[in-house]
Amino acid sequence: MKKFLEEFKAFALKGNVMNMAVGVIIGAAFSDLVTSFTTNIIQPVIACIGSAEVQGRINLFGTGNYIDYGAFISSVIYFIIMAFVIFMMVKTMNKLMDLGKKEEAPAPTTKKCPYCKSEIALDATRCPHCTSEL
């Protein structure tokens, strides 16, 4: 049991897990912010469409049942905002990850002749300049 707890501690304290936890917390807070924006700003604007009786809803055949298109439009706007923010975060993280990577040099295609020091193909068995056998 002690070894299990040590492994769990090593896993939980790794940088990736801690970064993920911070990301989840910030994402939840941002989600609440976007929900508040769509509920308190977007839905009242949608409710202004038509008259005060409409309130972003359509009454179905006078039955008292409504299609709440205001809430649907608000949810679509919420989704678009969240998708855009996640896209920007992923794009930024990819750009930051690429900054640390070094580009690998391409494999050489030529070598120097040990006799005349001219550039020759890697698979050459004889130098085309001095005709020495390699």
Side-chain angles (χ1 to χ4, degrees):
M1 185 68 166
K2 187 176 181 180
K3 184 178 179 183
F4 174 76
L5 291 175
E6 288 175 9
E7 288 177 9
F8 179 74
K9 181 180 174 184
F11 169 76
L13 295 179
K14 281 185 180 177
N16 292 343
V17 175
M18 298 304 285
N19 291 343
M20 185 177 67
V22 170
V24 167
I25 292 168
I26 291 173
F30 186 75
S31 175
D32 289 342
L33 180 70
V34 173
T35 300
S36 175
F37 172 73
T38 55
T39 302
N40 300 319
I41 295 175
I42 300 298
Q43 280 185 340
V45 170
I46 294 170
C48 291
I49 298 172
S51 63
E53 302 162 351
V54 175
Q55 297 178 6
R57 300 186 299 184
I58 297 174
N59 191 352
L60 292 176
F61 311 113
T63 60
N65 294 322
Y66 294 93
I67 295 176
D68 193 359
Y69 68 87
F72 176 73
I73 293 172
S74 181
S75 296
V76 169
I77 292 171
Y78 173 84
F79 173 77
I80 291 170
I81 291 171
M82 289 302 290
F84 178 74
V85 168
I86 291 170
F87 169 74
M88 293 305 291
M89 288 174 56
V90 168
K91 186 174 179 179
T92 303
M93 287 304 295
N94 287 341
K95 195 173 279 191
L96 289 174
M97 295 298 283
D98 288 343
L99 287 178
K101 293 182 181 176
K102 292 183 180 178
E103 291 186 25
E104 294 183 21
T109 57
T110 60
K111 63 182 178 179
K112 288 198 179 254
C113 173
Y115 302 104
C116 68
K117 306 295 185 202
S118 59
E119 293 284 325
I120 56 173
L122 276 178
D123 57 350
T125 56
R126 193 175 278 272
C127 177
H129 303 283
C130 67
T131 66
S132 301
E133 279 196 40
L134 304 174

